Amino acid sequence: MTDRIGADAALSKLGGWAKGAGDRDTIEKTFKLADFKTAWSFMSAVALKAEQLDHHPEWFNVYNKVEVTLTTHDVDGVSEKDVELARFMDELAAKLS
């Protein structure tokens, strides 16, 4: 079972992420990629990783921008699953840049 670690603990392990707005325990980041095709490639790769982890992001895409919110619904807050997916996204975005 996954345990809740909270946004503050997650943020101490990540760079460029922020605590989500509102009353939910979330972390957020906006990725700006080269163009729509690169953003779509990013989202496709993240979708495959998310399926592997059985952990799915909340996201919004317009052209080259992908806004991501991570939280673990099973624990009603941020968990290590969110940290793992966030790190994957950061590494992938760096490779695509």
Side-chain angles (χ1 to χ4, degrees), residues 16-44:
W17 288 78
K19 196 171 189 174
D23 59 352
R24 294 174 56 211
D25 185 36
T26 65
I27 56 173
E28 300 176 344
K29 186 170 186 175
T30 298
F31 294 90
K32 290 186 181 172
L33 300 140
D35 52 28
F36 180 72
K37 181 174 73 172
T38 307
W40 192 268
S41 296
F42 172 82
M43 292 173 63
S44 295

Side-chain angles (χ1 to χ4, degrees), residues 29-33 36 38-40 42-43 46 58-69 89:
K29 186 170 186 175
T30 298
F31 294 90
K32 290 186 181 172
L33 300 140
F36 180 72
T38 307
W40 192 268
F42 172 82
M43 292 173 63
V46 171
E58 298 173 21
W59 56 18
F60 179 77
N61 164 246
V62 174
Y63 185 60
N64 69 331
K65 183 171 68 172
V66 181
E67 298 173 3
V68 179
T69 300
M89 289 181 188

Side-chain angles (χ1 to χ4, degrees), residues 51-85:
E51 278 295 304
Q52 180 186 45
L53 294 173
D54 192 27
H55 188 58
H56 306 92
E58 298 173 21
W59 56 18
F60 179 77
N61 164 246
V62 174
Y63 185 60
N64 69 331
K65 183 171 68 172
V66 181
E67 298 173 3
V68 179
T69 300
L70 296 177
T71 191
T72 303
H73 299 287
D74 292 345
V75 299
D76 195 29
V78 178
S79 74
E80 286 294 339
K81 279 187 172 186
D82 299 298
V83 173
E84 184 175 354
L85 192 55

